[in-house]
Amino acid sequence: KLDFLRAFGMSVLVSVVSIAIIVIFTSMAAWNLQRTRGKKSNIIFMMFVVSMLVPFQAVMLPLVNIMGILNMLNVPGLIFMYFGFGSALSIFLYHGFVKSIPRDLDDAAMIDGCSKFQTFWYIIFPLLKPTTITVVILNLVWIWNDYLLPSLVINKSGTQTIPLKTFYFFGQFTKQWNLALAGLVITIIPVIIFYMIAQKQIIRSITEGSVK
């Protein structure tokens, strides 16, 4: 009844693509904002920080209305919105970590002939590994368990994520708690497995981040 494999595949697709986009673009944005310090960079960074204070419910209806006009109430639209909502915190975390990386590394890479993109991708991005793991974990837990945004965007047959499919066990007149709880247990198993596999790296990243 849960159609677990299809729902699991949709959750994996949305989570992996969203997190990959968030990590790549927010790390580049944070590095560029920190390295080109000025009035404009400070204003842009503060806009990202302030946006974290705006609750989703305040922009929920206008956002869905605009995305409907743009014909983006679908899986790509959902991923695009996750990218938007996940950018502020990710940029904030990356921006703080980039401060600890000496600017001399950038200059040395430029002298050796690296372009700006090569400098970031081959020199800076590997050094951001502790923060990257933190960003991945925070966004994975949020996106994997999110119900409200997918229910507004992709609540159609064949495109539901696991939280949406689990909700179908709660009807207007009956609540199938046995099936719902079984579905919820199956839902959290992938996250538990991910943590068990990556727990050493997670602890190491937190330790390195605290030293930085």
Side-chain angles (χ1 to χ4, degrees), residues 4 24 42 48 50 79 92 96 116 133 135 140 143 146 154 158 161 176 183 189 195 207:
F4 177 74
I24 293 173
N42 291 335
F48 279 109
V50 171
I79 294 173
F92 177 75
K116 194 170 185 179
I133 295 176
V135 169
L140 175 63
I143 294 174
D146 187 31
I154 59 168
T161 56
Q176 298 174 289
I189 287 177
Y195 179 80
T207 305

Side-chain angles (χ1 to χ4, degrees), residues 83-134:
F83 169 54
F85 285 113
S87 293
L89 177 60
S90 301
I91 288 177
F92 177 75
L93 294 174
Y94 276 121
H95 192 274
F97 194 87
V98 170
K99 290 181 181 178
S100 65
I101 300 177
R103 189 183 292 267
D104 295 340
L105 291 176
D106 303 46
D107 298 334
M110 294 292 185
I111 293 174
D112 289 339
C114 290
S115 64
K116 194 170 185 179
F117 177 77
Q118 289 174 326
T119 300
F120 169 78
W121 191 250
Y122 295 109
I123 306 298
I124 303 300
F125 187 70
L127 299 176
L128 299 176
K129 186 177 180 180
T131 305
T132 297
I133 295 176
T134 303

Side-chain angles (χ1 to χ4, degrees), residues 32 37-38 52 56 87 117 154 167 175-176:
N32 195 52
R37 297 301 297 272
M52 290 191 292
F56 170 70
S87 293
F117 177 77
I154 59 168
F167 183 75
K175 293 178 174 60
Q176 298 174 289

Side-chain angles (χ1 to χ4, degrees), residues 40-110:
K40 289 184 178 179
S41 297
N42 291 335
I43 291 175
I44 294 173
F45 178 67
M46 289 306 300
M47 288 176 63
F48 279 109
V49 173
V50 171
S51 68
M52 290 191 292
L53 303 177
V54 180
F56 170 70
Q57 291 77 6
V59 298
M60 177 174 63
L61 295 180
L63 176 65
V64 172
N65 185 39
I66 293 173
M67 297 300 284
I69 295 174
L70 298 175
N71 196 25
M72 292 187 65
L73 294 180
N74 47 34
V75 174
L78 177 64
I79 294 173
F80 178 76
M81 284 185 274
Y82 276 140
F83 169 54
F85 285 113
S87 293
L89 177 60
S90 301
I91 288 177
F92 177 75
L93 294 174
Y94 276 121
H95 192 274
F97 194 87
V98 170
K99 290 181 181 178
S100 65
I101 300 177
R103 189 183 292 267
D104 295 340
L105 291 176
D106 303 46
D107 298 334
M110 294 292 185

